Amino acid sequence: MSAVAMTWRNLSRCKLRVGLTVAGIAVGVALILVLLSLVAGIDAQVRTSIRAMGGADIIVYNATITNPREAFLLGSSAVLNESTVETIAYLPNVHAVSPQLTEVVIVNETLAPVWGIDVKTFYEAAGGLNIIDGKIVGENENNTAVLGKSLFDLFNMTVGRSVFIHARPPHHNNNVTLTVVGVYETGIFLADRGLYIPLAVAQNLTDSLDFVTSILVKADSPDNVESVSSEIASLFPDMRVVTLSNVVAQASQLLNTLTMFFGTLGVVALVAGSFGVVNTMIISVMERTREIGTLKAIGAKNSTVLRIFILEALLLGCLGGGIGIMIGGGASFFISEFSVRILPAVPVGQRITTNVSPLLTPWNIILSFALGLVTGVLAGIYPAWRAARMKPVEALRHG
Amino acid sequence: MAENIVETVKLTKLYRKGKLEIVALRDANLRISKGDVICVMGPSGSGKTTLLNMIGGLDRPTMGEVIVDGVDITQLNESQLAGYRLEEIGFVFQFYNLFPVLTAFENVELPLILAKKSKEERKRKVCQLLETVGMTERANHKPDELSGGEQQRIAIARALANEPALILADEPTGDLDSENAIMFMNLVKKLNQNYSQTFLIVTHDPLVVQECSKVYMIRDGKLEKSKG
């Protein structure tokens, strides 16, 4: 018979009481896990959108397509005119402007996002790419491509070989063969699964000459980003103007609200849950007074009695934590299924996402579970100490 | 002369109740030798259990000594006393005090776990003890599935687990019918004859008294020998 087995049997003596106590901890743990998952999800999303902006201060999108599913299904949202680029370029305090055409194409039979970039301005507006092998597409090259690391590895590619690209319907007759001149890595799954090609090549593929999907803008100083973006917004009311600072500001505001809400609820629930543990354990110690006396009479040290009851509290915490992460994990999944639309349009590749998706990470699961465990043990210390210091003679005399 | 197991010297226990001082036991001198079956009688509240608890290291006297192997155990600290109870003493209670969540086997095993015995050794010892008390068949039953007599036999097996020098029994037949009380005393006699097991029994029960080699009386806190 193990100590855990004995503790388990002691707990199963009063299932309802133990069940309710465990539920108290579980609710706290679940709330904390949902909070952590939401924070992780938003954090990941903000990181992704910041990376998607590269070094650009502002990205301008067409605002008429806001539904990500629609944007995805339409396949192309090439609605910004290249003349818009000229207009923005002549605004005061604008340092550089670079048009981009984002599209999903078929590369060697595999679907992949492609970014058509204007090589000349891309450096100035977005600061270039993180090239890990080879080089970026050259200024006057019309038959070259740079592949994301994942895509590169997927094809077992080497620099100097070529890839065959063709567009999706209705442009499926358009195709082109490009020489791979380099590999880049961003750390974003979607971006590393794609490729960068010259803007003109991308426009040819999709029969969208003169059209682009987004415009990257760099202000001449970080202080002027706000004024430039509001200028653009007032000039082109149909456009969505996204700046790094408003992504971060809105996300952090959301994070604060969520942390306040779930954090407060979670902590309150855990504290209430810990009272439940204290209560249950004190009653259990009182009910088993004579057993504690007997235990001491047959030679158990105070420290042994303490350990027995701490183990019981630990098991309560374990159960609460385990059930809590199941509930919290389920709730996180439920939230991401029905996506809360709170964030501003954060463009990731071609898709515009407005959803907050909680992200369940192993670390957050461990952390929430540990919180439940710690709550149980902390709450168990006092009742266990009471049991341990009981005088055996008095305990034996008890009912 | 037989080997001394426990000797009490002027053992005194006083209780304070408000301003009143109550004498539970005064100057009790008791010598227990190996192989003794001693019983202590007396009206309730006369200090019998107090004597038992002080010898068993559960309670501390106000004055006096309890000498075990030349050591005065009243000077030991709590943890040392727990070790003394584990190694040297076996307790048997009126209401058996078995752990309700544990089977008969596990109840007997518990002191061996506390003494950090290996699993194989525990198993061997528990089987042997259950055999001795005639409870092998009921090893996997919980206390509430056993009769009072059966529970008391399990309690004896538990008390014997770490081969104590002395078994202290507080009204062991108080909750048993006479048939089971006789069975219990037969077990005591058997253990005494076969293994020279020493017993100190607090009782009212004439059935018990007639089987004991020495009988003491406590009256108004004073211990007096009345037989043996």
Side-chain angles (χ1 to χ4, degrees):
Chain A
M1 174 199 46
S2 73
V4 175
M6 181 178 167
T7 311
W8 179 255
R9 280 192 237 165
N10 271 323
L11 284 180
S12 15
R13 273 195 217 178
C14 30
K15 294 192 179 66
L16 181 65
R17 192 201 296 160
V18 165
L20 290 172
T21 308
V22 165
I25 299 182
V27 167
V29 169
L31 285 168
I32 299 272
L33 182 58
V34 169
L35 166 71
L36 291 174
S37 305
L38 279 171
V39 169
I42 292 166
D43 188 58
Q45 211 164 327
V46 170
R47 273 169 202 277
T48 306
S49 51
I50 287 171
R51 286 219 177 110
M53 296 186 77
D57 292 323
I58 302 164
I59 305 187
V60 182
Y61 294 90
N62 189 301
T64 52
I65 299 173
T66 52
N67 182 331
R69 193 159 287 123
E70 190 187 334
F72 193 69
L73 290 176
L74 283 176
S76 171
S77 52
V79 281
L80 287 175
N81 197 291
E82 259 187 291
S83 66
T84 319
V85 178
E86 298 292 314
T87 316
I88 294 172
Y90 285 113
L91 290 175
N93 299 324
V94 169
H95 170 67
V97 179
S98 182
Q100 251 188 353
L101 179 75
T102 313
E103 185 54 79
V104 174
V105 295
I106 297 154
V107 184
N108 291 0
E109 312 296 316
T110 303
L111 275 176
V114 64
W115 284 267
I117 51 164
D118 177 41
V119 179
K120 202 175 80 185
T121 53
F122 185 69
Y123 265 111
E124 293 174 308
L129 275 174
N130 176 32
I131 299 290
I132 57 171
D133 192 16
K135 64 180 193 72
I136 197 164
V137 176
E139 209 172 296
N140 294 315
E141 299 170 356
N142 272 334
N143 54 354
T144 56
V146 193
L147 265 57
K149 192 173 184 306
S150 313
L151 197 65
F152 191 83
D153 291 344
L154 182 74
F155 294 152
N156 280 323
M157 187 55 67
T158 48
V159 172
R161 280 170 57 192
S162 54
V163 284
F164 178 72
I165 301 171
H166 65 97
R168 292 183 303 152
H171 313 294
H172 51 278
N173 289 328
N174 298 348
N175 61 63
V176 64
T177 303
L178 301 175
T179 307
V180 177
V181 293
V183 190
Y184 67 88
E185 188 170 19
T186 60
I188 314 169
F189 171 75
L190 199 65
D192 286 348
R193 194 68 171 67
L195 69 166
Y196 278 73
I197 61 176
L199 179 61
V201 178
Q203 287 174 333
N204 279 332
L205 268 175
T206 51
D207 291 331
S208 49
L209 222 68
D210 202 32
F211 286 102
V212 296
T213 49
S214 58
I215 299 168
L216 306 173
V217 182
K218 183 101 182 161
D220 57 0
S221 126
D223 301 335
N224 294 326
V225 173
E226 282 309 310
S227 67
V228 171
S229 75
S230 48
E231 182 82 357
I232 297 169
S234 64
L235 270 174
F236 305 102
D238 284 348
M239 291 180 192
R240 188 174 297 273
V241 182
V242 178
T243 67
L244 196 60
S245 59
N246 69 29
V247 169
V248 173
Q250 293 193 51
S252 71
Q253 195 188 348
L254 182 62
L255 283 181
N256 284 341
T257 314
L258 286 172
T259 308
M260 284 291 283
F261 183 67
F262 284 98
T264 310
L265 278 180
V267 168
V268 166
L270 272 184
V271 169
S274 75
F275 293 158
V277 173
V278 175
N279 192 34
T280 301
M281 294 278 300
I282 286 180
I283 291 172
S284 159
V285 166
M286 268 162 38
E287 281 177 352
R288 279 147 64 190
T289 298
R290 207 156 66 116
E291 282 178 42
I292 294 164
T294 309
L295 206 54
K296 289 189 169 188
I298 67 170
K301 291 192 173 76
N302 289 356
S303 58
T304 310
V305 176
L306 188 80
R307 271 211 305 277
I308 288 171
F309 282 92
I310 292 281
L311 187 65
E312 209 163 301
L314 190 89
L315 212 61
L316 284 175
C318 242
L319 284 172
I323 293 170
I325 59 174
M326 279 191 266
I327 297 172
S332 300
F333 181 74
F334 188 78
I335 291 171
S336 63
E337 276 290 283
F338 290 86
S339 296
V340 188
R341 297 187 169 207
I342 326 177
L343 264 193
V346 176
V348 180
Q350 181 167 18
R351 289 205 253 177
I352 299 168
T353 87
T354 52
N355 306 332
V356 177
S357 305
L359 189 66
L360 273 177
T361 65
W363 173 242
N364 284 346
I365 291 174
I366 292 168
L367 190 67
S368 323
F369 182 76
L371 267 174
L373 215 68
V374 167
T375 305
V377 173
L378 284 181
I381 287 174
Y382 171 68
W385 175 76
R386 265 178 62 149
R389 69 171 195 141
M390 253 177 207
K391 288 219 168 16
V393 176
E394 284 162 28
L396 280 170
R397 211 182 291 139
H398 193 274
Chain B
M1 202 178 100
E3 182 193 341
N4 249 1
I5 290 181
V6 177
E7 189 179 357
T8 69
V9 181
K10 292 190 165 184
L11 205 58
T12 300
K13 181 78 178 179
L14 308 173
Y15 288 109
R16 202 170 285 280
K17 211 174 196 180
K19 282 187 174 176
L20 231 68
E21 200 165 69
I22 296 168
V23 181
L25 200 65
R26 185 182 293 282
D27 295 335
N29 295 311
L30 176 67
R31 178 174 295 162
I32 305 170
S33 306
K34 188 166 175 62
D36 278 350
V37 178
I38 298 176
C39 86
V40 178
M41 297 175 66
S44 53
S46 62
K48 308 184 300 286
T49 301
T50 305
L51 174 67
L52 203 76
N53 286 341
M54 287 189 294
I55 292 174
L58 281 175
D59 203 356
R60 289 177 192 276
T62 315
M63 280 175 289
E65 298 171 356
V66 178
I67 311 288
V68 180
D69 282 337
V71 178
D72 179 10
I73 64 154
T74 63
Q75 303 301 315
L76 300 180
N77 66 28
E78 291 240 358
S79 153
Q80 287 168 322
L81 275 179
Y84 163 72
R85 294 193 294 262
L86 183 64
E87 305 285 342
E88 304 292 338
I89 301 292
F91 278 96
V92 175
F93 305 91
Q94 178 176 1
F95 299 106
Y96 333 120
N97 288 20
L98 298 177
F99 294 93
V101 294
L102 305 182
T103 63
F105 185 97
E106 290 161 345
N107 265 290
V108 180
E109 191 186 14
L110 196 55
L112 296 163
I113 293 175
L114 291 174
K116 301 190 164 60
K117 294 289 194 312
S118 75
K119 194 167 183 176
E120 297 74 42
E121 198 180 344
R122 289 191 327 241
K123 185 157 192 235
R124 188 183 55 76
K125 186 76 192 173
V126 173
C127 289
Q128 180 203 321
L129 286 165
L130 288 174
E131 176 98 48
T132 307
V133 300
M135 289 291 291
T136 308
E137 306 288 301
R138 313 284 271 159
N140 293 318
H141 288 261
K142 296 266 176 72
D144 60 7
E145 298 159 349
L146 301 173
S147 75
E150 289 173 324
Q151 288 192 54
Q152 200 57 303
R153 280 190 272 158
I154 294 300
I156 288 222
R158 178 176 70 183
L160 286 166
N162 286 317
E163 295 168 8
L166 175 63
I167 288 187
L168 299 174
D170 194 352
E171 311 258 15
T173 59
D175 202 47
L176 301 178
D177 57 27
S178 54
E179 191 189 332
N180 275 306
I182 289 167
M183 210 185 269
F184 176 83
M185 281 317 289
N186 286 340
L187 185 55
V188 168
K189 270 196 296 189
K190 180 176 128 191
L191 290 166
N192 181 250
Q193 278 158 13
N194 295 356
Y195 311 101
S196 300
Q197 180 63 53
T198 315
F199 289 86
L200 176 62
I201 306 170
V202 162
T203 190
H204 291 295
D205 192 343
L207 272 171
V208 175
V209 178
Q210 68 185 26
E211 301 292 346
C212 294
S213 53
K214 293 174 185 168
V215 177
Y216 285 81
M217 289 290 293
I218 296 187
R219 198 163 280 140
D220 301 327
K222 293 197 75 167
L223 184 72
E224 287 162 1
K225 201 174 202 176
S226 70
K227 173 190 162 190

